[in-house]
Amino acid sequence: MNPPADPDPNLNCSDPNPEKFADDPALVNFLQRYQPEVPAASPDLEDRILNAVLDEVTQSQSAAPPPMSAEHKGWKMARWGIPAAIAATITLLWGGSQIWRTAKRPIPSERDLEAFVADSWMSAFDPFNDVDTDVLADPGEWWGQPPSSSVLAEANTNLCKRSSSCHE
Amino acid sequence: MSADPLKIDDSDHALIQGCLQESTQSFRVLYRRHQHRVRSTLMSLCDPEVLDDLVQDVFVRVWKGLPKLEGRAKFTTWLYRITWNVAADYRRSAAQTRSRWQSLTHQLPHQSTEPNWQHLHYQDLIKRGLTQLSFEHRSVIVLHDLQDLPQQEIAEMFEIPLGTVKSRLFHARAALRKFLQHEEISL
């Protein structure tokens, strides 16, 4: 005999016909009275189960790492702490020496500074002091428009100074 | 379904605490207290010849699962759930071959010559009737009508609506009644 199909597996408590789920005391009584007798357990079943549980306990204890003693914790800290402390000391010493070396560099005199500023200033306005000016060798290209005659004259003078082929 | 607050009764709770401290003596008491309900449930859902092995499987699973239980469910509901899982696993593994128990029970009515043959006959009818049911219907009728588990607990156990439990119970009983009538048993 095939079991009847469950017509509504998601039927909830708000079923419109709740009396159809009423108890069936005659059937329940028959089932309880003649329910299959449970055979006795084998005498060693309890010990088998306890032994299986003990095996589980043993396995879990052997799988877990052993608890760490305070002495072991101290030694572990020392093992990792000492190399870290040495590395930090070396880094600090090296960094300090670099700072000290920078601090020891002599401060130039005012005269030297003035000469440096003047030289930089002049170089900034000397077009031939820049390697990129080779690309713009024609002074007409310097400003994007025809330069004035005075600028051209000055440029020619500078060109002649640098070029050995100029005899004027 | 929402998890219930701790409902473990004090005695079970104390034993479970002992088990969590790896006290096998506490577990022995817990086993003795609940083994009969596990055994009879498995008897109604599976084959008697593998009963001891299945009971052992249930209680080993209980031991392993106890650390996860506390505060989540009533212990007996949780125990029935494990029992049902073991039964379901066994049925799945045995589904390919016809069990020896089934073939024996089909022959029993013709072989029984005991004086209380009527009692044995009725027992056999119930066994056969239960095997006619789907596993879902059989589980509900075993847990509710034979183990006296409340419908609400069964609903929580299977994580299904209460109405579904009622519906399965109704159809399981109807099927059993039909089977018994077919066997000329009038209730």
Side-chain angles (χ1 to χ4, degrees), chain B residues 164-179:
Chain B
T164 305
V165 176
K166 290 176 184 289
S167 173
R168 287 182 185 175
L169 195 56
F170 172 79
H171 289 288
R173 285 171 176 168
L176 267 182
R177 265 193 172 276
K178 192 175 175 183
F179 172 80

Side-chain angles (χ1 to χ4, degrees), chain B residues 38-47 50-51 53-55 57-58 61 79-95 135 138-139 142-143 157-158:
Chain B
V38 170
R39 200 168 180 81
S40 59
T41 305
L42 288 170
M43 175 66 195
S44 303
L45 295 173
C46 301
D47 303 342
V50 292
L51 205 51
D53 291 340
L54 296 182
V55 170
D57 194 5
V58 167
R61 288 194 197 191
L79 180 63
Y80 275 119
R81 175 73 197 185
I82 291 178
T83 305
W84 187 85
N85 282 341
V86 167
D89 289 349
Y90 167 74
R91 288 175 60 89
R92 269 193 291 273
S93 68
F135 191 51
R138 185 175 173 179
S139 302
V142 165
L143 291 171
M157 194 179 126
F158 292 128

Side-chain angles (χ1 to χ4, degrees), chain A residues 25-85:
Chain A
L27 177 68
V28 173
N29 184 44
F30 182 80
L31 290 175
Q32 289 183 344
R33 188 173 176 190
Y34 297 110
Q35 66 176 300
E37 285 176 9
V38 182
S42 60
D44 65 334
L45 178 62
E46 185 175 315
D47 289 335
R48 268 168 47 196
I49 291 173
L50 267 291
N51 284 335
V53 164
L54 275 173
D55 285 347
E56 288 292 326
V57 173
T58 311
Q59 283 176 8
S60 66
Q61 282 177 347
S62 62
M68 204 180 285
S69 64
E71 187 184 355
H72 187 234
K73 280 181 187 170
W75 168 243
K76 194 175 178 182
M77 278 188 68
R79 197 175 64 175
W80 289 104
I82 290 171

Side-chain angles (χ1 to χ4, degrees), chain B residues 19-146:
Chain B
C19 294
L20 293 176
Q21 303 296 321
E22 299 190 343
S23 161
T24 51
Q25 193 55 37
S26 297
F27 191 70
R28 188 187 291 273
V29 178
L30 202 66
Y31 163 80
R32 286 181 180 171
R33 182 176 293 171
H34 295 286
Q35 63 92 20
H36 182 73
R37 71 178 78 204
V38 170
R39 200 168 180 81
S40 59
T41 305
L42 288 170
M43 175 66 195
S44 303
L45 295 173
C46 301
D47 303 342
E49 66 223 33
V50 292
L51 205 51
D52 283 358
D53 291 340
L54 296 182
V55 170
Q56 178 174 342
D57 194 5
V58 167
F59 279 96
V60 171
R61 288 194 197 191
V62 166
W63 173 267
K64 288 181 182 174
L66 277 177
K68 301 176 206 161
L69 164 71
E70 197 171 9
R72 288 180 55 196
K74 187 176 175 182
F75 176 71
T76 49
T77 308
W78 181 71
L79 180 63
Y80 275 119
R81 175 73 197 185
I82 291 178
T83 305
W84 187 85
N85 282 341
V86 167
D89 289 349
Y90 167 74
R91 288 175 60 89
R92 269 193 291 273
S93 68
Q96 302 296 323
T97 54
R98 185 178 176 82
S99 75
R100 183 167 153 260
W101 176 68
Q102 281 174 319
S103 59
L104 278 174
T105 52
H106 280 291
Q107 296 166 11
L108 266 177
H110 311 289
Q111 293 178 344
S112 176
T113 55
E114 297 291 323
N116 55 348
W117 62 271
Q118 192 176 30
H119 192 94
L120 291 173
H121 177 58
Y122 288 159
Q123 283 185 335
D124 177 64
L125 281 180
I126 290 176
K127 278 183 191 172
R128 286 165 51 201
L130 289 174
T131 59
Q132 304 287 320
L133 302 177
S134 70
F135 191 51
E136 286 81 9
H137 289 175
R138 185 175 173 179
S139 302
V140 169
I141 209 163
V142 165
L143 291 171
H144 185 266
D145 287 350
L146 298 182

Side-chain angles (χ1 to χ4, degrees), chain A residues 1 3 5 8 21 31 43 95 101 109 113 116 142 152 156:
Chain A
M1 179 172 36
D8 184 10
F21 297 125
L31 290 175
R101 192 178 296 172
S109 65
L113 277 175
F116 172 73
W142 290 355
L152 281 174
N156 282 330

